[in-house]
Amino acid sequence: MKNRKLVLAIVGLMVFALAAVAKAAEVPGEKSAAGVEALEQEAVSLLSEYLRIDTTNPPGNEIKAAEFFKAIFDREGIEARILESTPGRGNIYARLKGDGSKKAVVLMNHMDVVPADRRYWSVDPFAGVVKDGYVWGRGALDMKGMGIVELMAMLALKRQGIPLKADVIFLGVADEEAGGAMGARFMVQEHFDLLKDAGTVLNEFSFISVGDDGKVLHYDVEIFQKAPLWLKLTATGTPGHGSMPRPDSAVVKLIEALHRIVSYQTPLKVEPVVQKFYADTADLEPSPERRQRLKDLRASLQNRAFALEFSEDRWDNAAVRNTISITMLEGSNKVNVIPPQATAQLDVRLLPSEDPQRFLDELQKVIGDESIKIEPVLSFPPSASPTNSEFFKILQEVANSHDPGVKVTTPLLVGFTDCHYFREKGIPCYGFMPFKLTDKEASLLHGNDERLSVENVKFGTRVMYEIVRKLAAQ
Ligand SMILES: [Zn+2]
């Protein structure tokens, strides 16, 4: 800390002094080190405060988080409003005006978090504890930390009175962890008038990948993700008493169908972006043989032994094929009753180029029993964002200014985020969180003791500001 006395004085004077000092810093990272440091410190305090708001979904209660942001925007003189999709499920929308010569930049983040079981945490997951160089709490990584660095970018632009070409929109949404119906989908479907001028949306999920030795490996951006095709399988049969088994009961038929599905291996397919990701990162492989193979993954997977070895890693496997997880089962609710119906639900994830109908036909063939009914429970089309965009160029510039020569890579996201709602409307959405994480740190996402380092909050505040400023003011 270069200017400890000044920072202590600022902390003592609280918000007004913070605002004044931040105003004095024309450009974080360029002119006033003290101003940048104050802004970064403010980000750490705000994240700690934000993590104390319990927005576990279900039930969500994101309205409390929306009110937290609204109070900050009101204090800073930024026009903001709360939009409730249903009572308690708030979304926050704030807009900084530009001259309109460029399309708006949306800083999106979801305010809900997944549940945390206090018994397995070493700190209270909703106390916003700052210790050992980390800010601890459910949502620190997913994605309240990102919400705060987006907020700081907006506040810094406003406080410095930077003339903007593009409007900058802060969009905190509810319900992402349950699919976004009450959040991003509600905003895009019911309030598209507020977002239709958007040219770029920034959102979770990828981040800056760091080796165990602390060396930066690559800046990851999510530009395309697999599409969910969640299915419900229903078998029917003659019911009866459990004391006299039926070889053709609903449960038996369902189990036979599921057995065929489990024994089935979906074909390998390397999409162009996946091929490129492995080629881009091949040089980081310690084994020379594997390095060579990853440079042309499509060709290498023709080798059966390598294909088997490659698929052993669950993420690698999910990147090169459609996947099926059997997750829910329901039969009789009494041990001595053969039920008339048995159901299973499948979490299917399709590669971006896959056609859902073609996959359903294939699955029907695998099951080989026309009496089993297959119904989609959730399905939306795959979506992607372009790499030949201004955002991509800016990210490459910013990445190089912090880590010279580093590559910006585009791993396939095997899950999905709220980005698809915007991509379906033709608005590019990018998943990039400006945090440097080792595999171990990243694995705490949704896990116990989720935390984000203070250093990352500060670095993220700087990088997000740089990106947004370049996108909106140049
Ligand atoms: Zn998330």
Side-chain angles (χ1 to χ4, degrees):
M1 195 174 283
K2 282 181 201 153
N3 209 333
R4 189 180 295 272
K5 268 186 196 159
L6 177 59
V7 171
L8 285 176
I10 291 161
V11 170
L13 288 169
M14 300 301 288
V15 182
F16 291 108
L18 278 167
V21 170
K23 212 172 243 166
E26 290 235 342
V27 182
E30 287 178 30
K31 294 206 172 157
S32 158
V36 180
E37 200 163 289
L39 193 78
E40 291 173 359
Q41 196 54 52
E42 186 184 0
V44 175
S45 309
L46 284 173
L47 177 57
S48 163
E49 204 182 316
Y50 186 23
L51 290 171
R52 275 176 243 147
I53 304 170
D54 183 348
T55 48
T56 301
N57 183 10
N61 267 328
E62 298 89 344
I63 190 80
K64 289 186 290 175
E67 283 162 357
F68 162 80
F69 283 117
K70 176 82 163 58
I72 296 169
F73 289 127
D74 286 351
R75 198 167 68 209
E76 302 279 336
I78 297 172
E79 173 202 334
R81 57 192 277 208
I82 292 174
L83 298 107
E84 255 181 315
S85 47
T86 188
R89 312 303 301 272
N91 297 278
I92 177 83
Y93 170 88
R95 189 183 271 258
L96 257 187
K97 284 300 234 179
D99 66 15
S101 58
K102 282 177 85 175
K103 284 188 152 190
V105 178
V106 180
L107 309 179
M108 178 159 72
N109 57 91
H110 65 82
M111 303 184 290
D112 61 322
V113 296
V114 294
D117 187 335
R118 283 183 165 81
R119 290 174 303 172
Y120 302 108
W121 281 62
S122 41
V123 297
D124 180 343
F126 296 101
V129 175
V130 184
K131 67 160 190 157
D132 305 332
Y134 283 85
V135 189
W136 302 58
R138 173 56 85 226
L141 291 165
D142 187 11
M143 64 173 293
K144 287 180 168 173
M146 173 79 167
I148 291 297
V149 300
E150 288 180 330
L151 170 75
M152 300 321 289
M154 192 125 164
L155 299 191
L157 290 173
K158 172 71 164 72
R159 288 170 184 176
Q160 295 163 44
I162 306 250
L164 299 174
K165 290 184 172 164
D167 286 12
V168 179
I169 297 169
F170 182 92
L171 180 64
V173 295
D175 202 33
E176 191 276 340
E177 298 291 358
M182 299 293 142
R185 193 179 86 187
F186 165 79
M187 290 302 298
V188 168
Q189 283 187 356
E190 310 288 323
H191 295 283
F192 194 59
D193 51 317
L194 297 174
L195 299 160
K196 63 176 188 291
D197 61 332
T200 307
V201 181
L202 305 189
N203 186 34
E204 59 185 345
F205 189 89
S206 292
F207 46 83
I208 304 162
S209 189
V210 170
D212 291 335
D213 56 358
K215 190 174 174 296
V216 170
L217 303 176
H218 33 91
Y219 279 52
D220 288 342
V221 190
E222 185 274 310
I223 57 160
F224 83 151
Q225 42 192 257
K226 287 178 95 172
L229 174 63
W230 294 352
L231 299 174
K232 184 176 178 184
L233 268 52
T234 306
T236 48
T238 314
H241 200 281
S243 62
M244 290 170 287
R246 287 183 176 277
D248 60 346
S249 76
V251 173
V252 172
K253 279 194 218 167
L254 182 70
I255 288 174
E256 283 171 354
L258 295 178
H259 178 68
R260 281 180 221 117
I261 292 171
V262 171
S263 316
Y264 172 65
Q265 193 60 289
T266 52
L268 293 169
K269 186 173 175 203
V270 183
E271 307 240 348
V273 178
V274 174
Q275 172 86 350
K276 183 171 184 312
F277 173 74
Y278 282 98
D280 281 347
T281 55
D283 283 338
L284 300 166
E285 275 298 325
S287 143
E289 194 199 323
R290 192 173 159 91
R291 198 181 308 151
Q292 211 45 46
R293 289 210 186 269
L294 295 186
K295 285 191 173 156
D296 187 351
L297 183 64
R298 198 172 292 131
S300 303
L301 287 177
Q302 306 289 332
N303 178 312
R304 224 179 117 67
F306 176 72
L308 276 174
E309 179 202 309
F310 183 82
S311 321
E312 271 168 23
D313 180 283
R314 296 190 312 137
W315 187 83
D316 288 335
N317 181 56
V320 293
R321 55 167 35 115
N322 301 320
T323 57
I324 310 169
S325 284
I326 302 169
T327 50
M328 296 173 85
L329 284 172
E330 210 176 3
S332 180
N333 57 4
K334 279 205 85 193
V335 70
N336 60 350
V337 172
I338 296 172
Q341 173 178 308
T343 62
Q345 293 201 35
L346 273 47
D347 181 351
V348 174
R349 306 290 174 127
L350 301 179
L351 289 168
S353 69
E354 183 61 85
D355 170 19
Q357 190 54 51
R358 197 210 63 78
F359 181 85
L360 282 175
D361 295 344
E362 176 188 319
L363 192 68
Q364 188 84 64
K365 265 189 229 141
V366 170
I367 293 172
D369 178 350
E370 301 239 314
S371 74
I372 307 263
K373 197 166 103 191
I374 308 177
E375 295 162 277
V377 178
L378 173 83
S379 173
F380 52 73
S383 59
S385 295
T387 51
N388 60 346
S389 62
E390 191 192 7
F391 166 78
F392 226 83
K393 213 176 106 244
I394 287 173
L395 180 61
Q396 188 72 65
E397 273 168 32
V398 170
N400 268 291
S401 72
H402 291 280
D403 296 285
V406 77
K407 273 187 184 152
V408 174
T409 55
T410 53
L412 168 71
L413 177 63
V414 297
F416 63 89
T417 68
D418 280 336
C419 266
H420 75 92
Y421 292 115
F422 285 86
R423 290 175 184 159
E424 282 160 31
K425 291 276 186 189
I427 301 172
C429 182
Y430 295 96
F432 173 69
M433 304 206 277
F435 304 129
K436 295 183 169 179
L437 304 177
T438 60
D439 281 353
K440 194 167 162 240
E441 284 173 307
S443 73
L444 298 173
L445 199 145
H446 284 206
N448 302 322
D449 284 342
E450 181 178 348
R451 57 192 184 269
L452 182 62
S453 72
V454 167
E455 211 33 67
N456 261 323
V457 179
K458 294 180 170 184
F459 176 76
T461 299
R462 268 196 314 276
V463 170
M464 183 55 71
Y465 173 82
E466 289 164 7
I467 293 173
V468 178
R469 183 175 172 166
K470 281 173 188 276
L471 266 175
Q474 284 180 9

